[in-house]
Amino acid sequence: MSRMNMKKGFSLSKIKSGIKSGFNELSKGGFEQIFSHIDQLGIKKGVDTIGIDGFVNQCALMAAGSGLITGAGGISTMAIGIPLDVINLITQQFRVTLAISYHNTGKYKIRFEDFFKIVASSVKADTGLAISKNIMEEVAEKIILNVGSKTAQRLIPIVGGAIGGTVNYLFIKGVAKALQKTN
């Protein structure tokens, strides 16, 4: 495909629409599916072994890695890379949330409903309501705003990788800091 044809086929509004659609799907069960694939005992062991700060840093570096890879190729890696990056970013956010919860309470096994209330409070969603589709959509929207704010800058190859990695790293560190403040 020539560069000119690639530009004609590229539409930032189509990408935004696709990302928003993906987050709507996340709010309809994707969050619970991501949560169910996380090894909570493994998180406990990780925190016990390297400490909470080391564990948070490890998660932030894993998030930075996917941001770096996604942004490094510019527009050519966005279609596949951004959804994978977002899933990894959410996974790392969930892992950090579980780690801090374990660190603060000593309990490493959490039900999804209780866990999601913690996630919702970490993105400042209204947690006074029961976990519902609306709350999950609100959380998904807040996450997309946090993650998607630098997506356009990732269009530039190489520089986009540095931006993506840095944004992801700082996002996970910020989530951890917010969670540690509230607990």
Side-chain angles (χ1 to χ4, degrees):
M1 183 184 282
S2 74
R3 237 176 132 70
M4 192 150 187
N5 287 339
M6 197 162 100
K7 283 184 181 179
K8 284 182 183 177
F10 171 71
S11 166
L12 193 55
S13 63
K14 284 182 185 178
I15 290 173
K16 284 181 183 178
S17 174
I19 291 171
K20 186 163 177 112
S21 171
F23 273 98
N24 286 337
E25 289 302 313
L26 273 177
S27 69
K28 294 177 186 168
F31 287 135
E32 191 166 4
Q33 187 175 3
I34 290 171
F35 176 80
S36 70
H37 285 89
I38 294 175
D39 177 11
Q40 292 186 42
L41 180 59
I43 290 172
K44 175 195 179 305
K45 289 177 182 177
V47 171
D48 289 345
T49 302
I50 61 175
I52 190 64
D53 292 333
F55 191 85
V56 166
N57 197 53
Q58 181 184 59
C59 291
L61 288 171
M62 290 173 75
S66 68
L68 177 71
I69 292 167
T70 300
I75 195 167
S76 62
T77 59
M78 281 186 71
I80 294 172
I82 286 183
L84 295 175
D85 181 40
V86 168
I87 289 169
N88 181 49
L89 193 60
I90 291 169
T91 300
Q92 298 314 317
Q93 177 183 0
F94 284 11
R95 291 179 74 230
V96 163
T97 303
L98 288 165
I100 291 171
S101 176
Y102 164 67
H103 179 73
N104 291 339
T105 66
K107 296 177 185 176
Y108 72 90
K109 192 75 172 158
I110 298 178
R111 293 176 332 137
F112 176 74
E113 292 76 18
D114 298 328
F115 167 77
F116 204 79
K117 288 178 185 176
I118 297 168
V119 171
S121 69
S122 77
V123 294
K124 300 190 180 13
D126 181 7
T127 56
L129 303 171
I131 297 301
S132 67
K133 181 178 180 259
N134 290 342
I135 291 296
M136 290 187 184
E137 286 175 354
E138 182 179 344
V139 169
E141 185 177 313
K142 299 238 180 186
I143 290 172
I144 196 170
L145 289 174
N146 287 332
V147 174
S149 64
K150 300 289 182 191
T151 298
Q153 293 174 347
R154 294 182 188 193
L155 295 175
I156 307 165
I158 310 300
V159 174
I163 292 168
T166 301
V167 168
N168 285 7
Y169 182 86
L170 294 174
F171 176 74
I172 294 299
K173 289 293 224 173
V175 166
K177 187 175 181 179
L179 285 167
Q180 288 169 330
K181 266 190 206 178
T182 60
N183 292 324

